[in-house]
Amino acid sequence: MKLAFFSAKKYDIDSFTAAQDADPTFKAVQITFLDVGLDERTAVLADGADAVCAFVNDRLDAPTLSELKRLNISFVALRCAGFNNVDLSSAKELGIHVVRVPAYSPEAVAEFAVGLMLTVIRKYHKAYSRVREGNFTLSGLEGFNLQNRTVGLVGTGKIGLCVGRILALGFQARVIAFDPFPDPRAAAQCGIAYVDTLDSLLAQSDVVSLHCPLMPATRRIIDERALRTMKPSAVLVNTSRGPLIDTQALVAVLKENHLRAVALDVYDGEEGYFFRDASESVIQDDLLSRLMSFHNVIVTGHQAFLTQEALHGIAETTFGNLVTLAKGEECLNVVKA
Ligand code: NAD
């Protein structure tokens, strides 16, 4: 099978090459690494391939999928869990099979989310810059303990449960969660108690962390009303998907000093900037610029997944998916419309 691998970064090339070295069956997949992202314009670069491999910000909308079909490509292998960037009904109509990596290392994202919480609560980012400048004063750096504080998790899937376990069992925080499809047994094992509504979670929490997927029902689940339901002293963390938050509303409430701090690993509109070096150009996205200018907001570039363990898991599962598809067998990780 020939694979056109879009948005390839050095860490992708290293992890996919290492996986092939470790398992010779994966060498059945011949990869062409392409550093460009996949969209309608760049799809032609996959000419001659049987499959494409795509990541979170590659755009697999109807025109891109039609172009892939024109090139006789019938497999899309997502090397991520989320599939919000794929027009699944078009893929189905065109007979393109979409597979993904449903779980690689929930701990990678969960540990990063907890790290972001601590960063904005204990102000590591400010301390780092201050000390580098030779300023060892502590004024303005006071935070709060996570122990006995209420942390609210929106979504208790693989990552949410893991965050809950770290915070409840490790930090002894009071962890509550909202999920329309609760798993009471798994939650109880992780020390998480469910609440009945999102509003109840938002009103009680000192920290709110988002772990639900992006889909029509969750787009802007954190809108202005939701933000105003949160305590003015609360911290908001998003390591899931940018469009879960109404960014304009977030900027508006931050300007009113509502919310203590915000940590974002994802951003609605990140496709234009994330995963590339824009340090030599002017940021044209005023909302992103405004967000980055708040002293109580930190933005990271969709980095939560990036551990050796996660990259290894992503490569193994993606090769497994492709080898299964090449044999014409049923793949368990297929994404259905
Ligand atoms: P998962 O499918 O295991 O869990 C998602 C949970 O969200 C499920 O329990 C589901 O019932 C729940 N949910 C659905 N609708 C909801 C709603 N309206 N309110 C509250 N909960 C709701 O997914 P996961 O593996 O835990 O991953 C969660 C998300 O994390 C992914 O969808 C992806 O967007 C994001 N993610 C981000 C990174 C990163 O690097 N930043 C990496 C991996 C995943």
Side-chain angles (χ1 to χ4, degrees):
M1 174 182 276
K2 289 192 176 144
L3 178 71
F5 192 112
F6 283 86
S7 303
K9 305 292 176 205
K10 183 180 179 299
Y11 48 80
D12 295 311
I13 298 170
D14 290 347
S15 59
F16 275 73
T17 307
Q20 282 189 316
D21 289 343
D23 185 339
T25 63
F26 295 163
K27 291 206 166 134
V29 181
Q30 292 164 42
I31 309 181
T32 302
F33 291 106
L34 302 160
D35 60 1
V36 291
L38 173 59
D39 60 23
E40 181 188 5
R41 229 170 9 97
T42 60
V44 69
L45 296 170
D47 194 11
D50 307 295
V52 294
C53 185
F55 198 49
V56 291
N57 289 331
D58 290 318
R59 192 181 307 154
L60 289 136
D61 53 9
T64 308
L65 291 165
S66 300
E67 179 64 4
L68 293 176
K69 190 67 196 173
R70 191 185 68 76
L71 300 168
N72 286 323
I73 290 168
S74 33
F75 303 119
V76 169
L78 298 171
R79 55 180 189 282
C80 53
F83 46 86
N84 50 282
N85 54 336
V86 186
D87 182 336
L88 288 175
S89 50
S90 294
K92 189 177 173 190
E93 264 172 41
L94 293 162
I96 294 180
H97 302 271
V98 180
V99 289
R100 67 175 180 134
V101 183
Y104 37 94
S105 172
E107 291 79 9
V109 182
E111 290 176 12
F112 193 83
V114 174
L116 282 180
M117 272 172 218
L118 286 172
T119 302
V120 291
I121 293 169
R122 303 301 302 271
K123 306 182 184 172
Y124 295 157
H125 56 309
K126 292 189 179 185
Y128 174 79
S129 317
R130 215 182 261 196
V131 168
R132 275 180 72 89
E133 296 294 320
N135 176 356
F136 296 91
T137 60
L138 298 181
S139 304
L141 296 183
E142 57 284 4
F144 61 79
N145 287 8
L146 278 168
Q147 186 188 35
N148 297 329
R149 290 284 178 161
T150 300
V151 181
L153 307 176
V154 181
T156 52
K158 293 171 286 295
I159 296 169
L161 284 177
C162 195
V163 172
R165 190 169 59 237
I166 294 169
L167 292 171
L169 307 185
F171 286 80
Q172 297 176 307
R174 171 181 174 249
V175 182
I176 58 173
F178 171 71
D179 193 315
F181 306 99
D183 184 344
R185 215 165 72 98
Q189 279 171 356
C190 295
I192 302 169
Y194 282 111
V195 293
D196 292 336
T197 62
L198 178 62
D199 276 2
S200 161
L201 177 139
L202 296 172
Q204 292 183 53
S205 299
D206 298 301
V207 179
V208 172
S209 192
L210 306 182
H211 303 289
C212 61
L214 175 62
M215 47 193 184
T218 58
R219 183 171 287 272
R220 305 210 167 162
I221 193 170
I222 304 298
D223 58 8
E224 180 165 358
R225 201 191 60 81
L227 290 163
R228 293 198 187 282
T229 306
M230 290 173 67
K231 294 180 187 180
S233 58
V235 167
L236 175 64
V237 177
N238 188 8
T239 54
S240 193
R241 285 291 181 266
L244 295 177
I245 298 178
D246 178 343
T247 314
Q248 208 135 20
L250 178 62
V251 167
V253 301
L254 280 166
K255 281 168 78 175
E256 293 170 21
N257 262 324
H258 184 84
L259 297 187
R260 180 189 181 95
V262 176
L264 305 173
D265 186 48
V266 286
Y267 168 70
D268 187 1
E270 68 180 47
E271 307 77 43
Y273 295 94
F274 284 18
F275 305 118
R276 64 188 72 156
D277 181 1
S279 59
E280 300 285 319
S281 53
V282 173
I283 292 184
Q284 298 296 327
D285 182 331
D286 291 348
L287 272 182
L288 178 59
S289 283
R290 185 66 182 100
L291 268 181
M292 294 189 329
S293 74
F294 288 107
H295 298 302
N296 57 345
V297 174
I298 64 168
V299 179
T300 51
H302 206 135
Q303 182 193 336
F305 73 98
L306 195 65
T307 66
Q308 293 168 353
E309 292 82 354
L311 290 169
H312 176 76
I314 288 169
E316 286 229 306
T317 305
T318 303
F319 278 125
N321 289 343
L322 289 165
V323 169
T324 306
L325 292 173
K327 287 187 197 153
E329 292 172 4
E330 194 186 336
C331 179
L332 291 176
N333 295 329
V334 75
V335 189
K336 296 204 172 103

